Amino acid sequence: MGWQTTKAQSINWTKDGSQYYQIKSGEIFKVDARDDSKQTAWITKDMLTPQGKPAIGIRRFSLSDDGQKVLINNNTKKVWRYDTRGDYWVYDANKKSLVQLGKGLPASSLMFAKFSPDGSKVAYVSEHNIYVETLADNSIKKLTNDGTKRLINGTFDWAYEEEFDCRDGFRWSPDSRNIAYWQIDATKIKNYLMLNTTDSTYSFTIPVEYPVAGEDPSMCRIGVVDVNTAAKKWMAVPGDAVQHYITRMEFSTNPNEIILEQLNRAQTESKVFIGNISNGTTRVIHQETDKAWIDGKARWNEGNPVGWEWLNKGKEFLWVSEKDGWRHIYKITREGKETLVTKGNYDITGIKLIDEASGYIYFTASPTNATQSYLYRIKINGGKEERLSPATQPGTHDYEVAPGGKLAMHNFSNAYTRPQSEVVSLPDHQHISGDNIKLDVDAQNKTEFFKVKTVDGVELDGWMKKPTNFDPSKKYPVVFYVYGEPASQTVTDTYGAGRDFLYAGDMAGDGYIYISLENRGAPAPKGAAWRKAIYKNIGIINIRDQAMGAKEIMKWPYVDSSRVAVWGWSGGGSSTLNLMFQYPEIYKTGIAIAAVGDQLTYDNIYQERYMGVPTNEEGRAPFIKGSPITYAKNLRGNLLYIHGTGDDNVHYKNAEELINELVKYNKQFQLMSYPNRTHSISEGPGTGTHLRTLYTKYLREHCPPGAK
């Protein structure tokens, strides 16, 4: 399940913030940010054409510090969710040469290649070992030798990647002499065996190292290796290496120091250590605790935990904490002294730029409307935040602020305005180039936002798309779209709100009211109490909020309470099952996809973060209480259950446990299993069309559309 991000591909700014790079037609262009008609092919296909071979493709690229070398990644392959494995090439503008890295290593096996700060070398991971390649002669040195399928150097196991967004697992020192890296020992993690019955005559298993809730995590430690001698030193980080996670690690501004964040297994205690790489010693400089859980940097950094926000030549850094009940920015010195920068009853949702030269931090927030997002800035030393996004553009704004803070790529949409992008000047937010943003009332999308207060006094945000030619004197069926868990919001003022992406047809035209509600526990900017109310209550409090919200909606005169459907995917599938089983008097039809039916089968990092560590019967009780299979015997309505048998995230075991419970109590339902499809159920010819057709046909049959 993890959490979901919506960020577009990052823009690659030049150092001075006046231009940006853009991949177009297999070439890299430099675009004048103030006039996008002024663009030049900087790295051409001719430059990217090896002798006697076709030009290489470009999936992503990065530059050396002096801007004279370009590191190009192509031929990428997926590692679980992301295409982080592939080939790498270096184009040297001075030598006018193109060279492929990793000669002798397997094709498409290189990961996270990075220039050394001095630009003389590139380091990368291949098959769980770290290598360094000297660019002058392309000699390759293997820095670690112990990597295996389960002993992982420089990258991460399944759970770290899925739940902490940790993928790139090594860092260059500022002086280019050392590399610090994670080593993950997954040798004791049990395999979940997925069964492939279609790709050969005889079935075979696909093992996935997968620690379920209650099982120990992988062991984690930090090593530092000298790139010249390959001599290693392990950092002495206090605490059991199995019962703690290290979720962030970087070099400080001092090449002899690293800084890291350690979480306890329950993710309720965070400690920040400074480590001396010469002798491996560490010392705590900051710590905090939470009664529920502590979020990682990925939560406010577009799903990316990389980087450390140093200030004042490394004497202090920025930190984000929810300790006062809101997600705020703090300054922390190396001695641990804290200063609150953002103040007030609002959450920051992302840090966009720290511009120390001008003394400002640029961040996103939405103090008065949790469905929207706007850009603010505040002095690094604190003060009153200043909103920069125009008041005339209500909706969701995202920014990639250029170095120097003078320009930004501005991305905007709302429920009735298609996504648009422009370059704006800051802080005045004037249009410079790109789309000249206009609010565009889309006649096909009349999504309304509303609030509803439940019998418990909880106010929920919601959106609603009414039927075409809506007649308030008639009654219409309602379809609820639900997620409900801490990984994602559904009620956001973005283009697409009110659209059912699985419905094969025009839902509004067919006569459905389509609604989504945001329950407590969703990661909305409504304060820590709102988000953390779900602690040890997944499957209970979020389900009650949804159901009580639906009860209020059923009082509306144009809602047909005999035709109420609900659907969701992943955590939303789990919520759908719980709503159907716990509140069968409300929901008459449900379509649940890839659901966690038994919380004790899901991975430990996610499930233990929100539900506690189930080490005994008392610890297991909330998991059982919130699991759909506990309530399957209560099914009264129409249920369609859908799952891919090759789902490495929410295992097909969940489907079979659910089936057993429904069979046990003679509860009739419809099942669709997609052989060898993953959590996205997207692989194979015809799959998407079949899924949409199945979903639409079932909904129309069991929750008939149209006014009555």
Side-chain angles (χ1 to χ4, degrees):
M1 292 185 291
W3 57 62
Q4 302 167 15
T5 57
T6 56
K7 186 174 178 63
Q9 183 176 354
S10 292
I11 190 169
N12 214 327
W13 290 100
T14 57
K15 275 189 172 183
D16 65 2
S18 66
Q19 298 173 290
Y20 58 89
Y21 301 98
Q22 188 175 62
I23 301 171
K24 190 164 60 174
S25 301
E27 300 182 320
I28 301 174
F29 282 72
K30 265 188 181 179
V31 183
D32 187 327
R34 294 187 175 274
D35 182 355
D36 56 12
S37 69
K38 296 179 180 177
Q39 47 184 276
T40 56
W42 179 59
I43 303 294
T44 66
K45 282 188 178 178
D46 286 345
M47 298 174 186
L48 300 178
T49 303
Q51 190 171 5
K53 295 182 179 179
I56 66 170
I58 308 170
R59 171 66 178 88
R60 56 179 70 89
F61 69 95
S62 61
L63 277 66
S64 59
D65 197 52
D66 63 5
Q68 295 305 301
K69 299 185 186 79
V70 186
L71 183 60
I72 295 167
N73 183 206
N74 68 357
N75 295 333
T76 57
K77 310 291 182 187
K78 275 191 177 182
V79 178
W80 307 123
R81 303 282 166 273
Y82 303 93
D83 63 334
T84 51
R85 186 166 58 82
D87 295 330
Y88 282 90
W89 302 70
V90 171
Y91 179 77
D92 188 321
N94 290 326
K95 295 181 179 178
K96 297 186 173 13
S97 63
L98 178 69
V99 177
Q100 185 172 4
L101 303 180
K103 185 177 181 181
L105 295 172
S108 293
S109 73
L110 274 57
M111 303 175 72
F112 314 116
K114 294 189 283 288
F115 284 115
S116 59
D118 66 10
S120 69
K121 299 177 176 66
V122 172
Y124 44 78
V125 173
S126 177
E127 298 185 319
H128 293 168
N129 278 309
I130 301 171
Y131 295 78
V132 64
E133 185 161 342
T134 302
L135 297 179
D137 60 4
N138 292 104
S139 60
I140 299 171
K141 183 188 288 288
K142 192 175 186 181
L143 298 181
T144 64
N145 293 286
D146 54 355
T148 65
K149 284 188 176 181
R150 292 302 192 88
L151 191 64
I152 303 165
N153 296 302
T155 183
F156 296 91
D157 64 358
W158 187 95
Y160 260 86
E161 174 174 312
E162 176 71 13
E163 306 303 356
F164 289 135
D165 284 287
C166 290
R167 289 176 282 281
D168 178 354
F170 72 90
R171 308 285 184 265
W172 275 104
S173 64
D175 62 6
S176 304
R177 293 181 178 180
N178 293 284
I179 289 174
Y181 66 98
W182 276 263
Q183 184 182 78
I184 305 293
D185 185 349
T187 54
K188 294 183 179 179
I189 301 300
K190 294 174 184 175
N191 278 333
Y192 178 81
L193 299 177
M194 296 191 299
L195 185 62
N196 186 320
T197 62
T198 63
D199 289 347
S200 66
T201 302
Y202 288 90
S203 62
F204 59 93
T205 58
I206 301 170
V208 181
E209 72 266 10
Y210 192 102
V212 300
E215 294 282 333
D216 281 347
S218 299
M219 185 281 290
C220 170
R221 60 179 178 171
I222 301 295
V224 180
V225 58
D226 185 304
V227 298
N228 292 317
T229 66
K232 298 174 190 65
K233 190 176 295 294
W234 298 105
M235 303 304 296
V237 181
D240 187 302
V242 173
Q243 301 302 322
H244 291 82
Y245 302 106
I246 297 175
T247 55
R248 291 177 66 189
M249 182 273 291
E250 305 285 341
F251 272 89
S252 76
T253 54
N254 178 344
N256 196 49
E257 284 184 341
I258 61 168
I259 186 167
L260 63 87
E261 181 183 16
Q262 180 199 63
L263 294 178
N264 65 330
R265 179 172 169 182
Q267 301 172 64
T268 57
E269 180 180 67
S270 163
K271 291 182 180 179
V272 177
F273 292 86
I274 289 279
N276 184 317
I277 70 169
S278 296
N279 56 26
T281 59
T282 60
R283 61 185 176 90
V284 176
I285 62 168
H286 174 73
Q287 56 186 328
E288 65 179 85
T289 59
D290 195 291
K291 291 180 180 178
W293 70 85
I294 294 174
D295 273 330
K297 182 182 179 181
R299 181 62 98 184
W300 57 86
N301 195 40
E302 310 287 4
N304 185 357
V306 174
W308 212 278
E309 296 81 4
W310 291 104
L311 297 169
N312 194 12
K313 297 180 180 178
K315 294 178 182 176
E316 52 190 353
F317 57 90
L318 292 187
W319 193 249
V320 176
S321 173
E322 297 177 328
K323 66 173 67 180
D324 74 346
W326 300 91
R327 181 182 293 141
H328 279 313
I329 301 172
Y330 293 77
K331 277 195 309 181
I332 300 178
T333 68
R334 283 171 168 266
E335 293 71 42
K337 181 183 176 183
E338 294 182 16
T339 305
L340 179 62
V341 179
T342 54
K343 299 176 182 178
N345 295 341
Y346 70 91
D347 293 301
I348 71 111
T349 56
I351 297 176
K352 298 301 175 181
L353 181 73
I354 302 161
D355 185 15
E356 201 167 1
S358 68
Y360 280 100
I361 301 168
Y362 293 80
F363 65 94
T364 48
S366 188
T368 60
N369 188 328
T371 72
Q372 299 175 340
S373 179
Y374 301 97
L375 183 67
Y376 291 78
R377 72 172 184 172
I378 195 169
K379 285 284 190 182
I380 290 174
N381 293 325
K384 177 65 178 171
E385 70 279 354
E386 173 188 3
R387 176 168 153 168
L388 304 182
S389 299
T392 55
Q393 294 175 359
T396 298
H397 300 254
D398 193 20
Y399 296 82
E400 297 188 62
V401 184
K406 304 296 186 194
L407 299 172
M409 183 64 74
H410 171 219
N411 302 299
F412 170 76
S413 82
N414 61 25
Y416 56 85
T417 302
R418 296 177 185 277
Q420 299 169 69
S421 296
E422 64 175 340
V423 175
V424 296
S425 57
L426 295 178
D428 57 352
H429 208 287
Q430 294 301 303
H431 171 80
I432 299 292
S433 66
D435 298 328
N436 205 336
I437 289 179
K438 297 175 182 176
L439 299 184
D440 179 21
V441 179
D442 183 345
Q444 299 303 312
N445 188 16
K446 298 177 181 177
T447 304
E448 303 171 24
F449 287 82
F450 65 91
K451 295 180 184 291
V452 62
K453 184 171 282 189
T454 72
V455 68
D456 302 318
V458 179
E459 188 177 70
L460 307 178
D461 287 314
W463 53 244
M464 169 172 53
K465 180 79 172 290
K466 289 177 180 173
T468 308
N469 302 319
F470 174 72
D471 183 346
S473 68
K474 295 182 178 180
K475 289 186 178 292
Y476 295 87
V478 174
V479 179
F480 287 98
Y481 170 57
V482 65
Y483 184 75
E485 296 206 8
S488 184
Q489 286 179 257
T490 62
V491 182
T492 57
D493 192 359
T494 53
Y495 195 72
R499 282 175 166 78
D500 188 338
F501 62 88
L502 271 190
Y503 193 80
D506 180 358
M507 180 172 266
D510 286 351
Y512 286 107
I513 299 174
Y514 193 38
I515 292 179
S516 191
L517 298 173
E518 201 85 275
N519 53 258
R520 283 175 292 173
K526 300 179 78 167
W530 172 274
R531 292 186 290 275
K532 294 179 178 180
I534 204 169
Y535 186 59
K536 295 189 177 182
N537 273 303
I538 290 179
I540 302 298
I541 199 169
N542 54 329
I543 302 307
R544 180 169 175 82
D545 279 357
Q546 289 284 337
M548 296 304 101
K551 272 194 172 182
E552 296 303 314
I553 287 168
M554 287 165 64
K555 295 176 183 177
W556 297 350
Y558 48 81
V559 168
D560 185 348
S561 61
S562 70
R563 291 182 290 165
V564 176
V566 60
W567 86 276
W569 198 313
S570 191
S574 310
S575 295
T576 296
L577 293 176
N578 266 321
L579 290 168
M580 290 291 292
F581 300 160
Q582 292 185 41
Y583 296 93
E585 72 280 9
I586 298 175
Y587 302 94
K588 307 302 192 294
T589 298
I591 302 174
I593 306 175
V596 174
D598 177 356
Q599 292 185 26
L600 289 167
T601 71
Y602 199 60
D603 80 72
N604 53 7
I605 294 178
Y606 180 94
Q607 213 67 52
E608 292 177 4
R609 177 190 300 146
Y610 303 123
M611 296 295 285
V613 182
T615 53
N616 53 33
E617 189 173 337
E618 182 182 357
R620 291 164 61 90
F623 291 74
I624 296 168
K625 186 178 180 183
S627 290
I629 59 170
T630 301
Y631 307 96
K633 60 188 174 186
N634 299 327
L635 175 65
R636 296 209 304 251
N638 310 296
L639 174 63
L640 168 61
Y641 188 76
I642 302 168
H643 212 125
T645 68
D647 191 336
D648 66 280
N649 184 350
V650 179
H651 300 145
Y652 190 67
K653 169 183 171 64
N654 283 273
E656 296 193 333
E657 284 193 38
L658 177 68
I659 292 165
N660 278 340
E661 285 301 299
L662 293 169
V663 168
K664 178 179 177 181
Y665 294 102
N666 193 24
K667 298 298 178 178
Q668 300 300 310
F669 67 103
Q670 187 166 322
L671 171 71
M672 180 63 209
S673 299
Y674 284 95
N676 293 328
R677 271 64 166 194
T678 65
H679 197 54
S680 65
I681 313 184
S682 58
E683 301 81 8
T687 300
T689 299
H690 188 278
L691 177 58
R692 288 190 294 274
T693 304
L694 172 69
Y695 169 92
T696 307
K697 185 171 182 287
Y698 193 86
L699 187 62
R700 286 173 176 164
E701 285 180 0
H702 296 281
C703 183
K708 286 186 178 179

